[in-house]
């Protein structure tokens, strides 16, 4: 008899996966390799930024007290005693109506408490005049204005984007403590599968899911262990997965998760004694996506159908792996957009339509990315987002506002916004 599966809502499925996403360890990496990793320690300012009062302009450092009373009719004259650029310290201490010619980034000389921009002066040899008074600290970039010593600048768990790299460099982190990347094994199953370099044969197709998933992982900065391609053979699949769970934090398979005569993943999970978190989700495509857990290893049983496989990864595998690295923004960014084409089909379950999203000054628009069945490979190539239509609806028209999840963004968001 065909196994009867109980479908659960997408949100419930996402929650069940996320609850099991345990943190991986951390490791130290050189700063040059830290981009794209997840911080395992907060970045704390080890000194004030800037570390000294400095000039934000090319100009003259003066004592504000000497500028009192300056006006167009009564200009005040200063004598230039020294000349410094960024990186150099003046040994001169300013006396009455003395100035140091100073360039952007250079520390204020002793006695100085204001900067006159070059454009605010009339220069004559070693002297210049000004026509307005300057307040104490006017045009000065004071020590600590950007960061105070001891301040937490970036929290642990943050995605290391180029700005975080800049802050790490500022504070002299030659090495950074980051979350280790989960070790992920990837296995494609299917007797019909040919390798990419093989010519087509009757009844066969090339394995496109394997390379696609490897690229989805790569987009997250995660390399995978390629476990190859296996025919629909229960023992072969069982042995491969059994071996892989000892070495991997997650094993991703594609194919063989439905109820067909050659769909062996359900019996593989049973033989492994794995806890199946779910094997039917109220969504299309990807309804048969199965997630299981055994010996601290996730088993992501993604569907063989390419679009279903892609959606299953983005909805379940991706946030789980991100959360395992301690990042608290694991979910796809959510937004809304206006449909620019009708979508007449009924949606018994939540539908995730591969779509082309565009944000313009006139608003955000979205259209399905062509042929959109579960077995479509082309719509994945054309899309950059999912249109999400709620289950139990039908007949969305051009002009309707729909829910959208954005794909391929460097950083995600903190919560899953849909049901
Ligand atoms: N009686 C039922 N039949 C099916 C059901 C169902 O509920 N009852 N579910 C359907 C749905 S929905 C999906 S999705 C598929 C899921 O199938 P499997 O995950 O078991 O995957 P396979 O049977 O192995 O293959 C399905 C399809 O995908 C192609 N495929 C497989 N692997 C790859 C790959 N690596 N690269 C490219 N394409 C791949 C395969 O050739 C098949 O065409 O089941 C429905 N059936
Ligand atoms: O899992 Mo199937 O793709 O629902 O489409
Ligand atoms: Mg099948």
């Amino acid at each position: 008899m065909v196994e009867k599966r109980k479908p659960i809502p997408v949100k419930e499925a996402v929650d069940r996966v996320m609850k099991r996403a345990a943190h991986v360890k951390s490791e130290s990496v050189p700063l040059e390799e830290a981009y794209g990793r997840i911080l395992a320690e907060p970045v704390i300012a080890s000194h004030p930024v800037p570390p000294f009062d400095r000039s934000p302009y090319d100009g003259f450092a003066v004592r504000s007290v000497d500028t009192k009373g300056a006006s167009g009719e009564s200009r005040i004259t200063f004598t230039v005693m020294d000349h410094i650029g960024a990186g150099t310290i003046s040994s001169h201490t300013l006396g009455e109506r003395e100035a140091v010619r100073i360039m952007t980034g250079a520390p204020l000389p002793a006695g100085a408490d204001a900067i006159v921009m070059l454009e605010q002066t009339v220069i004559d040899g070693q002297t210049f005049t000004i026509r307005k008074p300057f307040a104490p600290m006017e045009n000065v970039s004071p020590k600590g204005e950007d960061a105070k010593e001891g301040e937490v600048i970036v929290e642990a768990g943050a995605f290391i984007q180029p700005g975080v790299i800049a802050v790490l460099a500022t504070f002299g982190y030659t090495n950074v403590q980051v979350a280790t990347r989960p070790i992920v094994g990837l296995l494609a199953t299917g007797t019909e599968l040919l390798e990419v370099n093989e010519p087509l044969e009757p009844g066969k197709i090339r394995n496109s899911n394997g390379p696609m998933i490897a690229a989805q992982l790569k987009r997250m900065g995660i390399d995978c262990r390629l476990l190859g391609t296996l025919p629909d053979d229960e023992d072969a699949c069982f042995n491969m997965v059994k071996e892989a769970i000892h070495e991997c934090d997650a094993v991703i398979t594609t194919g063989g998760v439905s109820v067909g005569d050659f769909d062996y993943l359900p019996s593989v999970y049973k033989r492994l004694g794995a806890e199946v978190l779910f094997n039917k989700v109220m969504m299309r495509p990807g309804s048969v996506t199965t997630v299981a857990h055994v010996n601290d290893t996730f088993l992501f049983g993604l569907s063989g159908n390419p679009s279903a496989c892609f959606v299953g990864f983005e909805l379940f595998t991706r946030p789980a792996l991100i959360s395992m690295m301690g990042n608290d923004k694991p979910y796809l960014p959510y937004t809304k957009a206006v449909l620019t084409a009708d979508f007449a089909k009924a949606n018994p379950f939540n539908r995730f339509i591969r779509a082309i999203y565009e944000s313009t000054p006139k608003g955000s628009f979205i259209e399905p990315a062509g042929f959109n069945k579960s077995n479509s490979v082309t719509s994945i190539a054309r899309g950059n987002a999912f249109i999400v239509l709620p289950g139990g609806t039908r007949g969305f028209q051009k002009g309707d506002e729909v829910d959208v999840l954005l794909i391929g963004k460097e950083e995600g968001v903190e919560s899953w916004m849909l049901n």
Side-chain angles (χ1 to χ4, degrees), residues 20-351:
R20 302 306 291 265
H23 283 194
V24 287
K25 297 190 183 68
S26 71
E27 63 184 339
S28 174
V29 296
L31 181 64
E32 312 82 78
E33 290 165 26
Y35 167 69
R37 304 295 296 264
I38 306 297
L39 269 179
E41 59 180 346
V43 183
I44 296 168
S46 54
H47 59 71
V49 183
F52 44 83
D53 290 346
R54 69 184 170 191
S55 176
Y57 297 123
D58 303 320
F60 296 96
V62 297
R63 307 189 320 175
S64 59
V65 63
D66 295 340
T67 69
K68 265 191 194 146
S71 69
E73 295 74 46
S74 169
R75 302 187 70 102
I76 293 179
T77 305
F78 285 82
T79 306
V80 180
M81 307 302 294
D82 198 5
H83 181 191
I84 56 168
T88 306
I89 292 172
S90 175
S91 55
H92 187 76
T93 300
L94 290 185
E96 198 177 334
R97 298 213 175 167
E98 288 183 344
V100 167
R101 189 173 170 104
I102 189 170
M103 299 301 122
T104 306
L108 260 65
D113 68 347
I115 299 293
V116 181
M117 293 168 75
L118 286 178
E119 296 86 332
Q120 295 172 314
T121 66
V122 174
I123 299 171
D124 180 14
Q126 284 305 102
T127 66
F128 65 90
T129 59
I130 57 170
R131 46 165 295 171
K132 78 167 210 68
F134 286 77
M137 296 309 274
E138 187 167 340
N139 290 347
V140 174
S141 172
K143 176 176 168 175
E145 72 169 351
D146 196 1
K148 307 272 175 284
E149 184 170 345
E151 194 180 325
V152 175
I153 309 298
V154 190
E155 301 279 355
F159 176 84
I160 302 181
Q161 37 96 326
V164 177
I165 296 283
V167 162
L168 289 163
T170 297
F171 298 117
Y173 286 77
T174 50
N175 288 278
V176 195
Q177 203 63 26
V178 299
T180 53
R181 292 183 167 120
I183 298 168
V184 181
L186 175 55
L187 172 68
T189 72
T191 304
E192 74 279 28
L193 299 180
L194 297 167
E195 297 305 326
V196 178
N197 61 359
E198 291 184 284
L200 276 190
E201 290 171 33
K204 308 266 181 174
I205 58 164
R206 293 192 185 95
N207 168 20
S208 61
N209 291 348
M212 174 181 75
I213 296 166
Q216 285 174 290
L217 288 164
K218 194 158 212 169
R219 171 147 83 182
M220 305 170 57
I222 297 175
D223 289 326
C224 59
R225 301 204 173 169
L226 294 173
L227 306 176
T229 308
L230 284 178
D232 294 308
D233 176 298
E234 185 180 326
D235 285 339
C237 291
F238 171 75
N239 290 331
M240 179 61 85
V241 176
K242 184 169 186 255
E243 204 168 304
I245 54 177
H246 295 302
E247 301 162 8
C248 299
D249 299 303
V251 177
I252 303 175
T253 58
T254 152
V257 284
S258 188
V259 294
D261 296 341
F262 307 103
D263 291 337
Y264 291 121
L265 267 297
S267 34
V268 166
Y269 300 138
K270 197 174 272 174
R271 284 172 66 179
L272 287 170
E275 178 194 354
V276 174
L277 307 185
F278 54 82
N279 59 14
K280 188 94 182 169
V281 188
M282 296 161 91
M283 63 189 248
R284 289 228 81 185
S287 62
V288 293
T289 306
T290 301
V291 179
H293 204 266
V294 63
N295 295 347
D296 292 332
T297 300
F298 264 120
L299 303 172
F300 291 101
L302 304 181
S303 167
N305 272 331
S307 283
C309 179
F310 182 82
V311 171
F313 181 96
E314 294 294 325
L315 260 50
F316 305 116
T317 313
R318 184 177 179 282
L321 295 176
I322 293 175
S323 182
M324 286 163 81
M325 293 187 281
N327 183 268
D328 58 0
K329 293 182 179 171
Y331 301 108
L332 296 175
Y334 165 84
T335 186
K336 282 181 176 279
V338 172
L339 263 183
T340 56
D342 293 345
F343 193 88
K345 270 198 216 168
N347 311 296
F349 286 163
N350 277 11
R351 195 185 284 282

